[in-house]
Amino acid sequence: MIGRRLLLGAVPAALVVEGCAGPPAPPVVDVTIRANPDINPNTMGTPVSVAVRFYSLNARGRFESADVYSLMQREAQTLGTESVGSEEVVVRPGETRKVTLMPKPGVRFVGIANIASKDPAEIRKGYERVIRPRFSDARFFFDEDLKQGIEAMGAGLATVTYQAKLGSVADKAQRVAALAEAIAPQVGVDPALAKRAALLAKNDLQSRMVNEFPELQGIAGRYYAERGGEPAEVALAIDEAYRPRFAGDDIALSGIGKMLAIAERLDTLVGGFAAGLKPTGNKDPFALRRTALGLARTVIESGLQLDLTALLSQANHALAARNVQADAAEVYDFILDRLRGYYADKGVPAAHFNAVAELKPASLYDLDRRIEAIGAFAQLPEAAALAAANRRIGNILKKADSAIPAVADPALLQEPAELALAEAVEAARADIDRALGAGDYTGVLTRLAGLRPQVDAFFDAVMVNAEDPAVRANRLALLQGLARRLGSVAAIEHLSG
């Protein structure tokens, strides 16, 4: 055996045992759910867990612990949505499968082997011999931690350095608590409960259980908080603050859990940049890339209209006592850059993401809605022509050699095509402003699509750079107003290639 770790997650207690390297494995993974009625109850007293056997998928001949963890760390789910009533699930290399576990009564633990044994029963017996003393240790640690209580555990955090420039873990907990308390009212969560959860969230790092089994941080804290009489939503948030724990994991589900997950990641990101820990190349010691994506996913997938720029500034302000500051704009750009891959995985073309990202919306959920709207707009027959027109307008405006009036003067409109365009833009103005105010970005772009005939006619019939300086400036003002409308949801010129 080369590794043994206890996990409390998708099942209340599960041991991961990784097998030694062996011959090349088949290009599939067989996941088998088996009953083990003779094993003792787990540390939480719950009689349900799972026994799973894997073929290895990596070059070193064993399944990576992160992959195992991603399979197990769920409340009733692994890797996704598909229910499993049969004995096996096959996952091909590179494939992500979402599987709902339906373990049989009496199943107790998870074992991982990189070979298909002729006698799986012997492998299970060996794993059971290993797991019994581990469970015994876990029971002892759990009982001793309960005697201390989760609140008392926090006393030692002041002596644990989080990062030299950022203070102790206790300092971080205080900053996160202040952020969670401030964010909570914006999304209808009780600020007092959010603050309480944040102040307790790191306490289990001082527990015997987490010291022995680091994978249990947050999970152990949830059990200790429940046993300590904390409100159920506080206990749940202590666990959910770590979600998503890995690629493909669910975000926090509860309101307080979301707040805590967001506040924790805000402090980590801003603090990391303030301390000079910005990732470079493949170096990311504080996992700031993963933290940024976890923050963005939680906001977007929860549909939270939060002003990220304001929150970053608030997190930055909290670091003033440490005499360090981050560039909040740089942190925002870093988070935005993490979303490129996120949307690419969803099949969003890079041009669509770039069109919205150029506007740098303060709210990430707002960014998400704009990306959805630009995707619908791109399917319209008018989209390509308007995108090309907006690019052309941008180039014309850049070459202007004098100040452009704020608005076009109707008295200086001479050509029928420019009169028609001005009238069309004015007629659309109220509809566009109303849709923008309501966040109906699809409605905005659909209304703009109706301007294509007038836009095409203008460029066919009107010479923008007229000899008369007043007429020229007025036409530039007309185009500038049109460009503001066309770019109100996204920089649509990115769609023109």
Side-chain angles (χ1 to χ4, degrees), residues 69-90:
Y69 195 75
S70 68
L71 181 69
M72 288 304 305
Q73 186 52 45
R74 297 212 176 220
E75 297 275 344
Q77 283 198 346
T78 66
L79 300 180
T81 58
E82 179 183 342
S83 287
V84 178
S86 61
E87 288 292 311
E88 293 187 343
V89 174
V90 176

Side-chain angles (χ1 to χ4, degrees), residues 313-372:
S313 295
Q314 189 170 353
N316 214 11
H317 179 72
L319 291 171
R322 304 298 310 174
N323 295 316
V324 291
Q325 290 285 279
D327 182 339
E330 184 182 23
V331 180
Y332 174 91
D333 289 343
F334 179 77
I335 295 171
L336 208 59
D337 197 51
R338 295 302 97 207
L339 286 172
R340 293 183 186 278
Y342 173 76
Y343 282 107
D345 289 344
K346 289 177 172 289
V348 174
H352 296 190
F353 176 82
N354 292 336
V356 177
E358 185 170 313
L359 272 60
K360 297 189 176 182
S363 163
L364 294 181
Y365 179 56
D366 188 62
L367 175 139
D368 183 72
R369 294 176 64 195
R370 289 170 185 262
I371 287 176
E372 182 180 0

Side-chain angles (χ1 to χ4, degrees), residues 290-315:
R290 185 178 65 192
T291 298
L293 183 57
L295 168 63
R297 280 192 57 204
T298 301
V299 172
I300 291 169
E301 295 172 20
S302 300
L304 300 177
Q305 281 287 16
L306 295 171
D307 186 334
L308 178 61
T309 56
L311 293 177
L312 290 172
S313 295
Q314 189 170 353

Side-chain angles (χ1 to χ4, degrees), residues 395-481:
N395 291 333
I396 291 172
L397 295 176
K398 288 177 184 177
K399 296 176 181 178
D401 55 7
S402 60
I404 301 174
V407 294
D409 182 353
L412 293 173
L413 298 173
Q414 299 176 344
E415 300 290 339
E418 65 180 327
L419 282 165
L421 178 59
E423 290 171 359
V425 172
E426 179 60 27
R429 183 174 61 82
D431 293 339
I432 292 171
D433 289 347
R434 190 180 307 110
L436 277 174
D440 180 10
Y441 300 126
T442 301
V444 172
L445 292 169
T446 300
R447 186 66 180 86
L448 286 168
L451 298 178
R452 180 187 173 180
Q454 291 82 6
V455 172
D456 287 348
F458 177 89
F459 282 113
D460 287 342
V462 177
M463 173 67 70
V464 177
N465 291 319
E467 291 185 8
D468 186 330
V471 173
R472 180 169 64 248
N474 199 58
R475 288 174 179 171
L476 290 173
L478 175 61
L479 291 179
Q480 183 172 257

